[in-house]
């Protein structure tokens, strides 16, 4: 694999001046005040990402990155690991549709202490499987103290359908009765005043052959694409945090199981991580420019964005990359390949390409410190260049003009 960090480009040099932080003197002491450093980590769902395409296997990256930045914004695909999760106080759990609107500057994020979480259960879930999910909810309330208020069952089975898009190779799908889901959420919101929603849809049970590659840590997550469709539908309609957990019959035990997929094999449901994430997910401010709230995060607060090298075509990524004001440093990770081929150069913008997440986190640490990351590499800082000025139509060097 080619060396990832290339020589400095005009793209990166802009950040050395645009992101400088002021030093403020107070009395006889000098205090350095820097605004919080905010990073966004994106691993699109259902695209077979080598890291983040399975059962929460990008969570270690998020954990490491969260110790370097002041605020990390990411989405359920990165943080959800079925029965497993990890609390990170400075990490915001933002659903994908909301993250796109945030990147476009249409929505802002309002951090909270806790949300009132409601659960929507698909009427198609069998009684024993429904009971398993309700026991998980009660366990989260009693053992974790999570603010889970009430549940509701849809008036009609959702009838989840899933497939692989033949053009892109990513997973997708639909629910045949979206109105039933909308009615259930509206009932919970109006009656119980919940402001975050966990949806549990009954997914069709797969033949073992269909999931063998996924269980071995290869291929595409067949569930992920339609899970995003479901949460997008709720967030678009109600503008509150939402995440989805699939309900399925347990698979037969496998003697050949990848550690990347193993989190989905250790319990009866995928619900615990969703409840933990939603319990303190930020609320969405739709008209942030008109808001009187002071404690919110807008797109102008984002300093860097990290994403797979060939998955740069999402709405949020394009919005970040094409921002004309306070454009964040875009970092693409070569090692995290996907089934897509949406590279930054094909889409007409630049990223700082690194080999892996080790390097990405190092670049973020340098950027936060106000240090050119190329100065940490061997022979990556060339002699300083000389700018030219034009006088009466003639180009002259800056040194000559000054003399």
């Amino acid at each position: 694999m080619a060396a990832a960090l290339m020589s400095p480009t005009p793209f990166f040099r802009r950040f050395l001046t645009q992101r400088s932080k002021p030093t403020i003197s107070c009395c006889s002491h000098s205090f350095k005040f820097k605004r919080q450093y905010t990073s966004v980590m994106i691993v699109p769902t259902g695209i077979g990402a080598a890291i983040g395409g399975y059962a929460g296997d990008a969570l270690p990256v998020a954990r490491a990155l969260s110790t370097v930045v002041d605020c990390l914004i990411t989405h359920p695909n990165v943080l959800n690991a079925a029965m497993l999760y990890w609390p990170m106080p400075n990490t915001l759990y933002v659903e994908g549709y909301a993250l796109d609107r945030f990147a476009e500057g249409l929505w802002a994020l309002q951090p909270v202490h806790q949300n009132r979480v409601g659960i929507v259960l698909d009427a198609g879930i069998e009684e024993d499987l429904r009971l398993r999910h309700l026991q998980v909810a009660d366990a989260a309330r009693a053992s974790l103290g999570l603010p889970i208020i009430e549940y509701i069952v849809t008036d009609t089975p959702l009838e989840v359908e899933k497939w692989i898009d033949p053009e892109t190779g990513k997973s997708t799908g639909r629910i045949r009765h979206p109105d039933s889901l909308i009615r259930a959420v509206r009932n919970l919101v109006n009656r119980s005043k919940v402001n975050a929603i966990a949806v549990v849809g009954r997914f069709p049970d797969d033949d073992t052959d269909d999931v063998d590659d996924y269980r071995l840590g290869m291929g595409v997550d067949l569930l992920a694409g339609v899970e995003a469709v479901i949460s997008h539908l709720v967030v678009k309609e109600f503008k509150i945090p939402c995440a989805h957990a699939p309900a399925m019959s347990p698979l037969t035990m496998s003697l050949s199981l990848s550690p990347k997929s193993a989190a989905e094999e250790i319990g009866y449901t995928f619900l615990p991580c969703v409840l933990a994430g939603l319990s303190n997910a930020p609320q969405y401010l739709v008209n942030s420019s008109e808001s009187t709230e002071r404690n919110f995060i807008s797109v102008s607060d984002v300093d860097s964005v990290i994403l797979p090298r060939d998955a740069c075509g999402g709405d949020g990524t394009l919005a970040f990359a094409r921002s004309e004001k306070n454009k964040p440093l875009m970092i693409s990770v070569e090692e995290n390949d996907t089934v897509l081929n949406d590279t930054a150069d094909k889409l007409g913008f630049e990223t700082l390409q690194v080999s892996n997440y080790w390097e990405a986190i190092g670049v973020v640490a340098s950027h936060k410190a106000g240090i050119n990351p190329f100065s940490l590499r061997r022979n990556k800082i060339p002699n300083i260049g000389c700018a030219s000025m034009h006088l009466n139509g003639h180009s002259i060097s800056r040194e000559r003009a000054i003399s």
Side-chain angles (χ1 to χ4, degrees):
M1 194 171 288
L5 288 175
M6 310 301 289
S7 58
T9 64
F11 164 72
F12 185 78
R13 283 197 291 268
R14 290 196 294 271
F15 293 100
L16 302 182
T17 56
Q18 290 179 355
R19 294 288 181 176
S20 60
K21 308 294 192 297
T23 298
I24 302 176
S25 296
C26 179
C27 300
S28 59
H29 302 283
S30 179
F31 296 88
K32 293 183 178 179
F33 293 93
K34 293 186 177 181
R35 67 180 180 83
Q36 287 199 337
Y37 187 99
T38 299
S39 189
V40 174
M41 178 181 170
I42 299 174
V43 183
T45 192
I47 60 171
I51 301 170
Y54 301 91
D57 56 306
L59 183 52
V61 179
R63 288 186 59 196
L65 184 58
S66 72
T67 67
V68 174
V69 302
D70 297 308
C71 175
L72 173 63
I73 300 170
T74 189
H75 52 108
N77 186 56
V78 171
L79 299 178
N80 285 354
M83 297 290 285
L84 305 179
Y85 57 92
W86 195 269
M88 293 176 281
N90 64 334
T91 300
L92 299 180
Y93 183 91
V94 181
E95 194 275 340
Y97 179 87
L99 185 55
D100 287 344
R101 305 295 79 75
F102 169 77
E104 292 166 350
L106 302 176
W107 293 9
L109 305 177
Q110 173 70 63
V112 302
H113 293 298
Q114 67 171 216
N115 294 314
R116 292 172 57 86
V117 181
I119 302 175
V120 175
L121 298 177
D122 185 351
I125 300 174
E126 301 88 334
E127 185 176 353
D128 59 339
L129 191 54
R130 181 188 305 174
L131 181 59
R132 291 290 188 187
H133 284 83
L134 294 177
Q135 289 171 342
V136 166
D138 281 341
R141 294 167 67 226
S143 298
L144 301 179
L146 298 186
I148 304 164
I149 307 304
E150 198 172 36
Y151 78 94
I152 191 171
V153 179
T154 62
D155 54 23
T156 304
L158 298 180
E159 295 189 28
V160 177
E161 298 178 348
K162 55 186 174 61
W163 61 85
I164 298 294
D165 186 324
E167 293 185 4
T168 63
K170 65 182 182 180
S171 67
T172 186
R174 65 173 180 172
I175 53 175
R176 293 183 64 87
H177 301 288
D179 290 347
S180 178
L181 175 59
I182 295 299
R183 286 193 296 270
V185 174
R186 182 171 290 112
N187 194 326
L188 268 182
V189 169
N190 292 339
R191 185 179 68 189
S192 305
K193 307 304 179 186
V194 299
N195 58 356
I197 295 291
V199 180
V200 183
R202 182 57 166 103
F203 272 50
D205 293 324
D206 293 301
D207 293 332
T208 303
D209 293 343
D210 293 336
V211 294
D212 277 349
D213 283 347
Y214 177 80
R215 297 177 88 187
L216 293 172
M218 302 181 293
V220 175
D221 184 349
L222 294 173
L223 313 182
V226 69
E227 286 196 275
V229 170
I230 292 169
S231 64
H232 290 3
L233 175 65
V234 174
V235 173
K236 183 178 181 179
E237 178 71 21
F238 296 95
K239 300 173 178 58
I240 59 176
C242 176
H244 179 269
M248 297 184 300
S249 301
L251 294 170
T252 57
M253 183 174 289
S254 172
L255 298 179
S256 301
L257 185 66
S258 168
K260 296 196 297 183
S261 304
E264 295 179 356
E265 308 273 344
I266 61 176
Y268 294 101
T269 84
F270 299 172
L271 189 54
C273 61
V274 168
L275 296 177
L278 290 174
S279 66
N280 61 359
Q283 290 292 317
Y284 308 138
L285 298 179
V286 177
N287 296 313
S288 58
S289 61
E290 302 174 4
S291 175
T292 59
E293 295 283 351
R294 298 295 181 185
N295 182 30
F296 68 85
I297 300 170
S298 69
V299 64
S300 63
D301 295 312
V302 175
D303 296 279
S304 58
V305 177
I306 306 170
L307 69 160
R309 180 189 66 87
D310 55 7
C312 295
D315 290 346
T317 298
L318 293 175
F320 282 125
R322 293 169 179 171
S323 173
E324 296 182 357
K325 184 179 181 182
N326 296 323
K327 180 179 178 180
L329 173 61
M330 306 294 293
I331 303 169
S332 59
V333 180
E334 185 175 4
E335 190 172 73
N336 196 7
D337 58 329
T338 78
V339 298
L340 303 180
N341 193 24
D342 299 330
T343 57
D345 57 338
K346 290 184 177 181
L347 296 167
F349 65 91
E350 293 181 272
T351 65
L352 183 63
Q353 185 173 311
V354 299
S355 288
N356 49 55
Y357 284 107
W358 290 352
E359 292 182 356
I361 293 172
V363 168
V364 168
S366 300
H367 192 216
K368 179 184 176 185
I371 296 170
N372 183 345
F374 294 104
S375 65
L376 278 61
R377 297 286 309 277
R378 178 181 177 182
N379 298 330
K380 292 296 182 181
I381 301 296
N383 293 107
I384 191 168
C386 175
S388 297
M389 296 192 304
H390 292 270
L391 185 63
N392 295 329
H394 299 284
S395 177
I396 58 174
S397 69
R398 184 173 182 272
E399 289 90 339
R400 178 181 171 188
I402 292 174
S403 62

